[in-house]
């Protein structure tokens, strides 16, 4: 008979997946635990398994408190909130939900691409109040035929590429971890591009890279200036990769044709006057990978993998 383990879940998880874990082990499920640091540290001390999303920082004091933990389950794919090497040094297995939210993120990217290129979906109040801005909104751009540049060609980038091909877009990709002759480019039919070439040629640039030292500040003012005039920038990866002030400046000058930003240096994003009333800017609160279906897939994937690791 399997010994019952103690599982602490610090952020929201599909409650059916929680119930699956609770049927076999002792579970503390508190989606607000992430915001109570003293209690989090206390509960972590007796946890055999810790399950987190992106806000729980599994490092420093929290990592030190994990005295008997064997597994950290990540309800998502980014691991920048987890000291992976520190976990490994303590014999703790880190399990991400690789691929489970790729479809959700990809749909967000494609929807943002179409919305920002067309520019026709901001007139509701004007039309409802009797205005008719037809001429002003008649210069929107079609998605078909445009070049989509994907930076980071893992499971999410590849899913975006398949969808973009279906819309008739030309797709090019760069991944610092892959060479031009990597099998994935042949298998997907996507053209490999250097980073500089991609930035200069793409009508839409979408970022799917982890936050590491080589990607921190990747899209600074100089790289944004090197983009095509009127191009669109989409960031669903991590904050600190894109300079938001440079984005706002480029949008106001008209150099950038649009931007969709789902991730920020600090979350929640503090009030920022420079981003308010900024043209062609879409901001969302780190939800590109969080839909009903994606949460279900992520939660059950981690529940299954945690149970497998405990057995």
């Amino acid at each position: 008979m399997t010994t019952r383990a103690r599982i602490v879940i610090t952020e929201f998880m599909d409650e059916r997946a929680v119930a699956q874990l609770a049927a076999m082990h002792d579970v503390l499920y508190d989606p607000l635990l992430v915001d109570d640091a003293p209690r989090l540290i206390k509960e972590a001390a007796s946890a055999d398994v810790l399950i987190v999303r992106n806000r729980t920082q599994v490092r420093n004091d929290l990592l030190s408190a994990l005295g008997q933990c064997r597994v950290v389950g990540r309800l998502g794919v980014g691991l920048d909130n987890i000291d992976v090497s520190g976990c490994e040094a303590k014999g703790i297995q880190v399990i991400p939900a690789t691929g489970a939210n790729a479809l959700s993120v990809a749909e967000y990217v494609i929807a943002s691409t179409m919305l920002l290129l067309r520019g026709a979906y901001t007139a509701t109040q004007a039309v409802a109040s009797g205005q008719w801005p037809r001429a002003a909104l008649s210069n929107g751009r079609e998605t078909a035929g445009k070049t989509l540049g994907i930076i980071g060609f893992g499971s999410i980038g590849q899913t975006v590429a398949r969808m973009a091909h279906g819309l008739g877009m030309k797709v090019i990709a760069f991944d610092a971890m892959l060479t031009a002759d990597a099998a994935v480019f042949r298998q997907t039919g996507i053209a490999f591009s250097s980073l500089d070439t991609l930035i200069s040629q793409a009508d839409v640039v979408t970022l799917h890279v982890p936050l590491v030292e080589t990607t921190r500040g990747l899209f600074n003012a100089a790289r944004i200036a090197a983009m095509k005039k009127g191009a669109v920038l989409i960031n669903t990866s991590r904050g600190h990769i894109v300079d938001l002030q440079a984005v706002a400046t480029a949008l106001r000058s008209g150099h950038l044709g649009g931007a969709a930003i789902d991730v920020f240096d600090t979350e929640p994003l503090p009030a920022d006057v420079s981003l308010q009333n900024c043209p062609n800017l879409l901001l969302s609160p780190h939800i590109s990978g969080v839909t009903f279906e994606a949460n279900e897939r992520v939660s059950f994937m981690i529940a299954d993998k945690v149970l497998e690791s405990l057995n």
Side-chain angles (χ1 to χ4, degrees):
M1 182 176 179
T2 303
T3 302
R4 292 181 72 88
R6 185 165 189 269
I7 301 173
V8 174
I9 307 169
T10 68
E11 299 179 64
F12 71 92
M13 186 176 184
D14 188 291
E15 294 199 2
R16 293 165 298 166
V18 174
Q20 179 182 344
L21 293 170
M24 299 182 65
H25 298 282
D26 299 323
V27 173
L28 170 62
Y29 173 51
D30 183 353
L32 301 179
L33 188 57
V34 61
D35 294 313
D36 187 346
R39 183 166 170 251
L40 174 57
I41 295 292
K42 179 182 177 182
E43 299 293 352
S46 58
D48 298 295
V49 176
L50 188 69
I51 297 179
V52 305
R53 282 190 181 267
N54 66 294
R55 293 183 59 221
T56 306
Q57 300 297 310
V58 187
R59 57 180 76 253
N60 302 326
D61 291 346
L62 180 55
L63 180 58
S64 297
L66 295 174
Q68 63 187 55
C69 186
R70 289 179 273 164
V71 178
V72 171
R74 167 72 168 93
L75 297 164
V77 293
L79 297 176
D80 51 287
N81 62 310
I82 299 174
D83 180 351
V84 176
S85 60
C87 286
E88 291 174 349
K90 298 186 71 167
I92 300 172
Q93 180 184 9
V94 177
I95 303 176
T98 304
N101 65 355
L103 181 60
S104 176
V105 178
E107 287 190 353
Y108 177 101
V109 170
I110 295 299
S112 298
T113 294
M114 299 183 78
L115 191 153
L116 289 167
L117 285 175
R118 189 64 185 269
Y121 306 101
T122 59
T124 299
Q125 288 300 112
V127 173
S129 64
Q131 300 175 51
W132 199 247
R134 191 167 187 259
L137 296 178
S138 294
N139 292 315
R141 294 172 287 172
E142 295 177 351
T143 305
K146 298 297 182 294
T147 297
L148 174 68
I150 302 174
I151 299 177
F153 204 53
S155 61
I156 295 174
Q158 292 169 39
T159 304
V160 172
R162 287 194 295 273
M163 289 186 170
H165 263 172
L167 294 172
M169 299 187 81
K170 175 185 176 183
V171 182
I172 56 179
F174 167 80
D175 192 306
M177 303 302 293
L178 299 173
T179 58
D181 60 355
V184 67
F185 294 111
R186 294 193 303 275
Q187 293 163 356
T188 59
I190 302 302
F192 172 86
S193 170
S194 70
L195 179 61
D196 289 342
T197 298
L198 183 152
I199 289 171
S200 66
Q201 292 185 355
D203 299 291
V204 180
V205 175
T206 180
L207 306 178
H208 303 287
V209 294
L211 177 61
V212 294
E213 283 310 305
T214 54
T215 61
R216 187 178 294 273
L218 183 67
F219 267 74
N220 53 21
R223 281 220 166 86
I224 291 170
M227 294 174 68
K228 288 177 67 173
K229 181 175 173 56
V232 167
L233 177 63
I234 302 173
N235 185 20
T236 58
S237 51
R238 281 295 180 268
H240 297 287
I241 293 173
V242 171
D243 182 338
L244 276 186
Q245 297 308 311
V247 168
T249 298
L251 288 170
R252 293 187 191 281
S253 72
H255 178 70
L256 270 185
I261 308 295
D262 184 54
V263 288
F264 304 92
D265 297 0
T266 301
E267 298 181 357
L269 176 69
D272 189 333
V273 174
S274 69
L275 299 177
Q276 296 172 16
N277 300 313
C278 192
N280 303 319
L281 176 62
L282 302 177
L283 302 180
S284 53
H286 203 148
I287 46 75
S288 61
V290 185
T291 57
F292 176 85
E293 294 86 354
N295 183 45
E296 185 177 63
R297 289 192 298 270
V298 165
S299 296
F300 279 102
M301 176 184 285
I302 292 302
D304 288 343
K305 288 188 174 184
V306 164
L307 289 174
E308 181 181 339
S309 71
L310 290 173
N311 289 333

